[in-house]
Amino acid sequence: EPEVTQTPSHQVTQMGQEVILRCVPISNHLYFYWYRQILGQKVEFLVSFYNNEISEKSEIFDDQFSVERPDGSNFTLKIRSTKLEDSAMYFCASSDATSGGYNEQFFGPGTRLTVL
Amino acid sequence: GNSVTQMEGPVTLSEEAFLTINCTYTATGYLSLFWYVQYPGEGLQLLLKATKADDKGSNKGFEATYRKETTSFHLEKGSVQVSDSAVYFCALISYYGNNRLAFGKGNQVVVIP
């Protein structure tokens, strides 16, 4: 069964460093998402991406964050200068074109980011 | 904005017991409701969904009914197994305006043999 994959599973970085989290969505999906979950809190939406551009972003997704689909398979989240409060589990998700993207989203296993 | 509320705290119960996890929501527009499950060390997996009012989603013995009048989507299972131990998340998506999922906080379920 096709699945969303994410690398690395765990990333440790120093405050102020740049990190890139990588995701490979399901191959025939057209909508891509990033969510995050700070320990003990809700899963929060960060950004959605369709047709090679951001379709929506939350208030969390400020200028320190960017997303890219550099080729036909990868979808990346970059944090330019990490802060302590960026420590969280980051989930990538994708969905197909059924119902214009308003359908179930398939999630990857997550990348745990720890900022020291 | 849209929000989802799940009952507080972990749920611990014995094998073969009845499980209920409450989920209520505040949202406008045409909705789809979901339950996702996260097993230890894994990602979020869709457990079941309902795409219109009074729809019942079901999978692996779990059920939930989309109740518009009470704005609820409670998850139930008649007889849990140890393998059902996981974290369960209620979520919704609104068909108007955006396609972001709004999640509840999640409930840790521990089933004791």
PDB file of all heavy atoms in Angstrom, chain A residues 9-35:
ATOM      1  N   SER A   9      13.953  10.655  10.872  1.00  0.00           N
ATOM      2  CA  SER A   9      12.943  10.398  11.887  1.00  0.00           C
ATOM      3  C   SER A   9      13.169  11.292  13.103  1.00  0.00           C
ATOM      4  O   SER A   9      12.222  11.643  13.810  1.00  0.00           O
ATOM      5  CB  SER A   9      12.941   8.924  12.296  1.00  0.00           C
ATOM      6  OG  SER A   9      14.225   8.546  12.756  1.00  0.00           O
ATOM      7  N   HIS A  10      14.439  11.651  13.338  1.00  0.00           N
ATOM      8  CA  HIS A  10      14.763  12.526  14.466  1.00  0.00           C
ATOM      9  C   HIS A  10      15.898  13.447  14.047  1.00  0.00           C
ATOM     10  O   HIS A  10      16.879  12.986  13.458  1.00  0.00           O
ATOM     11  CB  HIS A  10      15.168  11.696  15.692  1.00  0.00           C
ATOM     12  CG  HIS A  10      15.250  12.478  16.961  1.00  0.00           C
ATOM     13  ND1 HIS A  10      15.738  11.955  18.133  1.00  0.00           N
ATOM     14  CD2 HIS A  10      14.899  13.754  17.250  1.00  0.00           C
ATOM     15  CE1 HIS A  10      15.694  12.874  19.089  1.00  0.00           C
ATOM     16  NE2 HIS A  10      15.185  13.973  18.580  1.00  0.00           N
ATOM     17  N   GLN A  11      15.715  14.736  14.303  1.00  0.00           N
ATOM     18  CA  GLN A  11      16.725  15.738  13.963  1.00  0.00           C
ATOM     19  C   GLN A  11      17.004  16.576  15.205  1.00  0.00           C
ATOM     20  O   GLN A  11      16.073  17.131  15.799  1.00  0.00           O
ATOM     21  CB  GLN A  11      16.198  16.630  12.838  1.00  0.00           C
ATOM     22  CG  GLN A  11      17.077  17.805  12.482  1.00  0.00           C
ATOM     23  CD  GLN A  11      18.082  17.479  11.409  1.00  0.00           C
ATOM     24  OE1 GLN A  11      17.748  16.902  10.371  1.00  0.00           O
ATOM     25  NE2 GLN A  11      19.322  17.845  11.648  1.00  0.00           N
ATOM     26  N   VAL A  12      18.275  16.649  15.556  1.00  0.00           N
ATOM     27  CA  VAL A  12      18.684  17.498  16.670  1.00  0.00           C
ATOM     28  C   VAL A  12      19.520  18.634  16.090  1.00  0.00           C
ATOM     29  O   VAL A  12      20.425  18.386  15.283  1.00  0.00           O
ATOM     30  CB  VAL A  12      19.508  16.707  17.703  1.00  0.00           C
ATOM     31  CG1 VAL A  12      19.903  17.619  18.859  1.00  0.00           C
ATOM     32  CG2 VAL A  12      18.703  15.521  18.234  1.00  0.00           C
ATOM     33  N   THR A  13      19.228  19.855  16.484  1.00  0.00           N
ATOM     34  CA  THR A  13      19.941  21.000  15.944  1.00  0.00           C
ATOM     35  C   THR A  13      20.157  22.053  17.015  1.00  0.00           C
ATOM     36  O   THR A  13      19.485  22.060  18.047  1.00  0.00           O
ATOM     37  CB  THR A  13      19.166  21.599  14.751  1.00  0.00           C
ATOM     38  OG1 THR A  13      19.981  22.562  14.086  1.00  0.00           O
ATOM     39  CG2 THR A  13      17.883  22.269  15.208  1.00  0.00           C
ATOM     40  N   GLN A  14      21.084  22.938  16.744  1.00  0.00           N
ATOM     41  CA  GLN A  14      21.331  24.057  17.656  1.00  0.00           C
ATOM     42  C   GLN A  14      20.439  25.230  17.264  1.00  0.00           C
ATOM     43  O   GLN A  14      20.157  25.455  16.073  1.00  0.00           O
ATOM     44  CB  GLN A  14      22.799  24.497  17.572  1.00  0.00           C
ATOM     45  CG  GLN A  14      23.782  23.448  18.044  1.00  0.00           C
ATOM     46  CD  GLN A  14      23.713  23.217  19.537  1.00  0.00           C
ATOM     47  OE1 GLN A  14      23.469  24.151  20.310  1.00  0.00           O
ATOM     48  NE2 GLN A  14      23.910  21.986  19.969  1.00  0.00           N
ATOM     49  N   MET A  15      20.034  25.980  18.256  1.00  0.00           N
ATOM     50  CA  MET A  15      19.224  27.177  18.022  1.00  0.00           C
ATOM     51  C   MET A  15      19.936  28.082  17.004  1.00  0.00           C
ATOM     52  O   MET A  15      21.150  28.282  17.079  1.00  0.00           O
ATOM     53  CB  MET A  15      19.047  27.910  19.350  1.00  0.00           C
ATOM     54  CG  MET A  15      18.070  29.033  19.346  1.00  0.00           C
ATOM     55  SD  MET A  15      17.708  29.596  21.029  1.00  0.00           S
ATOM     56  CE  MET A  15      19.323  30.003  21.635  1.00  0.00           C
ATOM     57  N   GLY A  16      19.165  28.615  16.053  1.00  0.00           N
ATOM     58  CA  GLY A  16      19.722  29.490  15.035  1.00  0.00           C
ATOM     59  C   GLY A  16      20.156  28.778  13.762  1.00  0.00           C
ATOM     60  O   GLY A  16      20.410  29.431  12.749  1.00  0.00           O
ATOM     61  N   GLN A  17      20.230  27.453  13.809  1.00  0.00           N
ATOM     62  CA  GLN A  17      20.623  26.699  12.622  1.00  0.00           C
ATOM     63  C   GLN A  17      19.428  26.476  11.703  1.00  0.00           C
ATOM     64  O   GLN A  17      18.268  26.498  12.126  1.00  0.00           O
ATOM     65  CB  GLN A  17      21.212  25.346  13.034  1.00  0.00           C
ATOM     66  CG  GLN A  17      22.518  25.453  13.795  1.00  0.00           C
ATOM     67  CD  GLN A  17      23.613  26.064  12.969  1.00  0.00           C
ATOM     68  OE1 GLN A  17      23.958  25.571  11.893  1.00  0.00           O
ATOM     69  NE2 GLN A  17      24.189  27.157  13.458  1.00  0.00           N
ATOM     70  N   GLU A  18      19.741  26.221  10.450  1.00  0.00           N
ATOM     71  CA  GLU A  18      18.716  25.902   9.463  1.00  0.00           C
ATOM     72  C   GLU A  18      18.493  24.386   9.434  1.00  0.00           C
ATOM     73  O   GLU A  18      19.443  23.611   9.559  1.00  0.00           O
ATOM     74  CB  GLU A  18      19.184  26.364   8.086  1.00  0.00           C
ATOM     75  CG  GLU A  18      18.265  25.960   6.949  1.00  0.00           C
ATOM     76  CD  GLU A  18      18.810  26.385   5.589  1.00  0.00           C
ATOM     77  OE1 GLU A  18      18.777  27.588   5.280  1.00  0.00           O
ATOM     78  OE2 GLU A  18      19.273  25.496   4.847  1.00  0.00           O
ATOM     79  N   VAL A  19      17.256  23.986   9.296  1.00  0.00           N
ATOM     80  CA  VAL A  19      16.956  22.558   9.125  1.00  0.00           C
ATOM     81  C   VAL A  19      16.033  22.371   7.937  1.00  0.00           C
ATOM     82  O   VAL A  19      15.230  23.256   7.614  1.00  0.00           O
ATOM     83  CB  VAL A  19      16.305  21.924  10.377  1.00  0.00           C
ATOM     84  CG1 VAL A  19      17.261  21.915  11.544  1.00  0.00           C
ATOM     85  CG2 VAL A  19      15.001  22.588  10.712  1.00  0.00           C
ATOM     86  N   ILE A  20      16.172  21.261   7.291  1.00  0.00           N
ATOM     87  CA  ILE A  20      15.273  20.881   6.193  1.00  0.00           C
ATOM     88  C   ILE A  20      14.695  19.515   6.511  1.00  0.00           C
ATOM     89  O   ILE A  20      15.434  18.550   6.721  1.00  0.00           O
ATOM     90  CB  ILE A  20      16.010  20.839   4.843  1.00  0.00           C
ATOM     91  CG1 ILE A  20      16.542  22.213   4.488  1.00  0.00           C
ATOM     92  CG2 ILE A  20      15.058  20.335   3.744  1.00  0.00           C
ATOM     93  CD1 ILE A  20      17.372  22.261   3.219  1.00  0.00           C
ATOM     94  N   LEU A  21      13.385  19.454   6.563  1.00  0.00           N
ATOM     95  CA  LEU A  21      12.683  18.200   6.796  1.00  0.00           C
ATOM     96  C   LEU A  21      12.135  17.724   5.456  1.00  0.00           C
ATOM     97  O   LEU A  21      11.565  18.516   4.699  1.00  0.00           O
ATOM     98  CB  LEU A  21      11.543  18.397   7.801  1.00  0.00           C
ATOM     99  CG  LEU A  21      11.911  19.111   9.106  1.00  0.00           C
ATOM    100  CD1 LEU A  21      10.710  19.163  10.037  1.00  0.00           C
ATOM    101  CD2 LEU A  21      13.091  18.465   9.772  1.00  0.00           C
ATOM    102  N   ARG A  22      12.298  16.458   5.204  1.00  0.00           N
ATOM    103  CA  ARG A  22      11.961  15.927   3.883  1.00  0.00           C
ATOM    104  C   ARG A  22      10.796  14.950   3.946  1.00  0.00           C
ATOM    105  O   ARG A  22      10.641  14.202   4.908  1.00  0.00           O
ATOM    106  CB  ARG A  22      13.175  15.253   3.258  1.00  0.00           C
ATOM    107  CG  ARG A  22      14.264  16.228   2.898  1.00  0.00           C
ATOM    108  CD  ARG A  22      15.447  15.606   2.203  1.00  0.00           C
ATOM    109  NE  ARG A  22      16.299  16.620   1.609  1.00  0.00           N
ATOM    110  CZ  ARG A  22      17.191  17.359   2.267  1.00  0.00           C
ATOM    111  NH1 ARG A  22      17.345  17.182   3.563  1.00  0.00           N
ATOM    112  NH2 ARG A  22      17.911  18.263   1.648  1.00  0.00           N
ATOM    113  N   CYS A  23      10.035  14.945   2.878  1.00  0.00           N
ATOM    114  CA  CYS A  23       8.843  14.117   2.785  1.00  0.00           C
ATOM    115  C   CYS A  23       8.710  13.626   1.349  1.00  0.00           C
ATOM    116  O   CYS A  23       9.024  14.355   0.402  1.00  0.00           O
ATOM    117  CB  CYS A  23       7.622  14.957   3.171  1.00  0.00           C
ATOM    118  SG  CYS A  23       6.010  14.236   2.807  1.00  0.00           S
ATOM    119  N   VAL A  24       8.271  12.396   1.199  1.00  0.00           N
ATOM    120  CA  VAL A  24       7.879  11.889  -0.120  1.00  0.00           C
ATOM    121  C   VAL A  24       6.404  11.537  -0.031  1.00  0.00           C
ATOM    122  O   VAL A  24       6.023  10.546   0.604  1.00  0.00           O
ATOM    123  CB  VAL A  24       8.703  10.665  -0.544  1.00  0.00           C
ATOM    124  CG1 VAL A  24       8.232  10.154  -1.903  1.00  0.00           C
ATOM    125  CG2 VAL A  24      10.180  11.007  -0.586  1.00  0.00           C
ATOM    126  N   PRO A  25       5.542  12.368  -0.625  1.00  0.00           N
ATOM    127  CA  PRO A  25       4.099  12.085  -0.588  1.00  0.00           C
ATOM    128  C   PRO A  25       3.747  10.872  -1.454  1.00  0.00           C
ATOM    129  O   PRO A  25       4.578  10.374  -2.212  1.00  0.00           O
ATOM    130  CB  PRO A  25       3.484  13.359  -1.168  1.00  0.00           C
ATOM    131  CG  PRO A  25       4.563  14.403  -1.107  1.00  0.00           C
ATOM    132  CD  PRO A  25       5.842  13.646  -1.238  1.00  0.00           C
ATOM    133  N   ILE A  26       2.513  10.449  -1.354  1.00  0.00           N
ATOM    134  CA  ILE A  26       2.022   9.374  -2.208  1.00  0.00           C
ATOM    135  C   ILE A  26       2.022   9.859  -3.658  1.00  0.00           C
ATOM    136  O   ILE A  26       1.615  10.995  -3.935  1.00  0.00           O
ATOM    137  CB  ILE A  26       0.630   8.919  -1.746  1.00  0.00           C
ATOM    138  CG1 ILE A  26       0.760   8.271  -0.364  1.00  0.00           C
ATOM    139  CG2 ILE A  26      -0.005   7.945  -2.728  1.00  0.00           C
ATOM    140  CD1 ILE A  26      -0.550   7.936   0.315  1.00  0.00           C
ATOM    141  N   SER A  27       2.438   8.998  -4.569  1.00  0.00           N
ATOM    142  CA  SER A  27       2.846   9.454  -5.899  1.00  0.00           C
ATOM    143  C   SER A  27       1.748  10.124  -6.719  1.00  0.00           C
ATOM    144  O   SER A  27       2.026  11.035  -7.473  1.00  0.00           O
ATOM    145  CB  SER A  27       3.451   8.303  -6.687  1.00  0.00           C
ATOM    146  OG  SER A  27       2.486   7.294  -6.888  1.00  0.00           O
ATOM    147  N   ASN A  28       0.511   9.725  -6.629  1.00  0.00           N
ATOM    148  CA  ASN A  28      -0.514  10.342  -7.466  1.00  0.00           C
ATOM    149  C   ASN A  28      -1.292  11.428  -6.731  1.00  0.00           C
ATOM    150  O   ASN A  28      -2.323  11.907  -7.215  1.00  0.00           O
ATOM    151  CB  ASN A  28      -1.471   9.277  -8.017  1.00  0.00           C
ATOM    152  CG  ASN A  28      -2.239   8.569  -6.910  1.00  0.00           C
ATOM    153  OD1 ASN A  28      -1.830   8.605  -5.736  1.00  0.00           O
ATOM    154  ND2 ASN A  28      -3.337   7.941  -7.257  1.00  0.00           N
ATOM    155  N   HIS A  29      -0.816  11.832  -5.556  1.00  0.00           N
ATOM    156  CA  HIS A  29      -1.489  12.883  -4.807  1.00  0.00           C
ATOM    157  C   HIS A  29      -1.053  14.254  -5.294  1.00  0.00           C
ATOM    158  O   HIS A  29       0.069  14.432  -5.794  1.00  0.00           O
ATOM    159  CB  HIS A  29      -1.220  12.723  -3.306  1.00  0.00           C
ATOM    160  CG  HIS A  29      -2.002  11.622  -2.687  1.00  0.00           C
ATOM    161  ND1 HIS A  29      -1.989  11.376  -1.327  1.00  0.00           N
ATOM    162  CD2 HIS A  29      -2.851  10.708  -3.225  1.00  0.00           C
ATOM    163  CE1 HIS A  29      -2.793  10.351  -1.065  1.00  0.00           C
ATOM    164  NE2 HIS A  29      -3.314   9.924  -2.191  1.00  0.00           N
ATOM    165  N   LEU A  30      -1.955  15.219  -5.137  1.00  0.00           N
ATOM    166  CA  LEU A  30      -1.709  16.557  -5.667  1.00  0.00           C
ATOM    167  C   LEU A  30      -1.651  17.631  -4.582  1.00  0.00           C
ATOM    168  O   LEU A  30      -1.209  18.739  -4.850  1.00  0.00           O
ATOM    169  CB  LEU A  30      -2.802  16.928  -6.674  1.00  0.00           C
ATOM    170  CG  LEU A  30      -2.917  16.020  -7.904  1.00  0.00           C
ATOM    171  CD1 LEU A  30      -4.066  16.498  -8.792  1.00  0.00           C
ATOM    172  CD2 LEU A  30      -1.618  15.988  -8.697  1.00  0.00           C
ATOM    173  N   TYR A  31      -2.153  17.301  -3.376  1.00  0.00           N
ATOM    174  CA  TYR A  31      -2.192  18.278  -2.288  1.00  0.00           C
ATOM    175  C   TYR A  31      -1.221  17.814  -1.217  1.00  0.00           C
ATOM    176  O   TYR A  31      -1.232  16.637  -0.825  1.00  0.00           O
ATOM    177  CB  TYR A  31      -3.603  18.381  -1.705  1.00  0.00           C
ATOM    178  CG  TYR A  31      -4.632  18.900  -2.675  1.00  0.00           C
ATOM    179  CD1 TYR A  31      -5.255  18.045  -3.585  1.00  0.00           C
ATOM    180  CD2 TYR A  31      -4.995  20.240  -2.692  1.00  0.00           C
ATOM    181  CE1 TYR A  31      -6.190  18.512  -4.482  1.00  0.00           C
ATOM    182  CE2 TYR A  31      -5.943  20.720  -3.584  1.00  0.00           C
ATOM    183  CZ  TYR A  31      -6.536  19.843  -4.486  1.00  0.00           C
ATOM    184  OH  TYR A  31      -7.465  20.312  -5.372  1.00  0.00           O
ATOM    185  N   PHE A  32      -0.444  18.754  -0.700  1.00  0.00           N
ATOM    186  CA  PHE A  32       0.588  18.403   0.281  1.00  0.00           C
ATOM    187  C   PHE A  32       0.489  19.355   1.468  1.00  0.00           C
ATOM    188  O   PHE A  32       0.133  20.536   1.296  1.00  0.00           O
ATOM    189  CB  PHE A  32       1.974  18.474  -0.357  1.00  0.00           C
ATOM    190  CG  PHE A  32       2.046  17.790  -1.694  1.00  0.00           C
ATOM    191  CD1 PHE A  32       2.279  18.516  -2.843  1.00  0.00           C
ATOM    192  CD2 PHE A  32       1.857  16.423  -1.795  1.00  0.00           C
ATOM    193  CE1 PHE A  32       2.332  17.886  -4.091  1.00  0.00           C
ATOM    194  CE2 PHE A  32       1.898  15.787  -3.029  1.00  0.00           C
ATOM    195  CZ  PHE A  32       2.130  16.529  -4.174  1.00  0.00           C
ATOM    196  N   TYR A  33       0.820  18.826   2.633  1.00  0.00           N
ATOM    197  CA  TYR A  33       0.612  19.576   3.873  1.00  0.00           C
ATOM    198  C   TYR A  33       1.763  19.325   4.847  1.00  0.00           C
ATOM    199  O   TYR A  33       2.390  18.267   4.832  1.00  0.00           O
ATOM    200  CB  TYR A  33      -0.683  19.111   4.573  1.00  0.00           C
ATOM    201  CG  TYR A  33      -1.884  18.989   3.682  1.00  0.00           C
ATOM    202  CD1 TYR A  33      -2.125  17.821   2.963  1.00  0.00           C
ATOM    203  CD2 TYR A  33      -2.793  20.031   3.548  1.00  0.00           C
ATOM    204  CE1 TYR A  33      -3.232  17.696   2.141  1.00  0.00           C
ATOM    205  CE2 TYR A  33      -3.906  19.912   2.729  1.00  0.00           C
ATOM    206  CZ  TYR A  33      -4.113  18.738   2.026  1.00  0.00           C
ATOM    207  OH  TYR A  33      -5.211  18.621   1.217  1.00  0.00           O
ATOM    208  N   TRP A  34       1.964  20.306   5.704  1.00  0.00           N
ATOM    209  CA  TRP A  34       2.796  20.116   6.888  1.00  0.00           C
ATOM    210  C   TRP A  34       1.978  20.501   8.116  1.00  0.00           C
ATOM    211  O   TRP A  34       1.286  21.533   8.111  1.00  0.00           O
ATOM    212  CB  TRP A  34       4.065  20.968   6.849  1.00  0.00           C
ATOM    213  CG  TRP A  34       5.120  20.433   5.935  1.00  0.00           C
ATOM    214  CD1 TRP A  34       5.405  20.859   4.676  1.00  0.00           C
ATOM    215  CD2 TRP A  34       6.040  19.372   6.217  1.00  0.00           C
ATOM    216  NE1 TRP A  34       6.444  20.130   4.147  1.00  0.00           N
ATOM    217  CE2 TRP A  34       6.857  19.212   5.069  1.00  0.00           C
ATOM    218  CE3 TRP A  34       6.279  18.543   7.308  1.00  0.00           C
ATOM    219  CZ2 TRP A  34       7.876  18.268   4.994  1.00  0.00           C
ATOM    220  CZ3 TRP A  34       7.282  17.601   7.239  1.00  0.00           C
ATOM    221  CH2 TRP A  34       8.066  17.466   6.094  1.00  0.00           C
ATOM    222  N   TYR A  35       2.094  19.653   9.140  1.00  0.00           N
ATOM    223  CA  TYR A  35       1.497  19.895  10.442  1.00  0.00           C
ATOM    224  C   TYR A  35       2.603  19.715  11.478  1.00  0.00           C
ATOM    225  O   TYR A  35       3.624  19.075  11.219  1.00  0.00           O
ATOM    226  CB  TYR A  35       0.382  18.872  10.749  1.00  0.00           C
ATOM    227  CG  TYR A  35      -0.848  18.979   9.894  1.00  0.00           C
ATOM    228  CD1 TYR A  35      -0.888  18.421   8.607  1.00  0.00           C
ATOM    229  CD2 TYR A  35      -1.988  19.615  10.363  1.00  0.00           C
ATOM    230  CE1 TYR A  35      -2.028  18.513   7.827  1.00  0.00           C
ATOM    231  CE2 TYR A  35      -3.137  19.703   9.596  1.00  0.00           C
ATOM    232  CZ  TYR A  35      -3.141  19.146   8.317  1.00  0.00           C
ATOM    233  OH  TYR A  35      -4.280  19.240   7.554  1.00  0.00           O
TER     234      TYR A  35
END
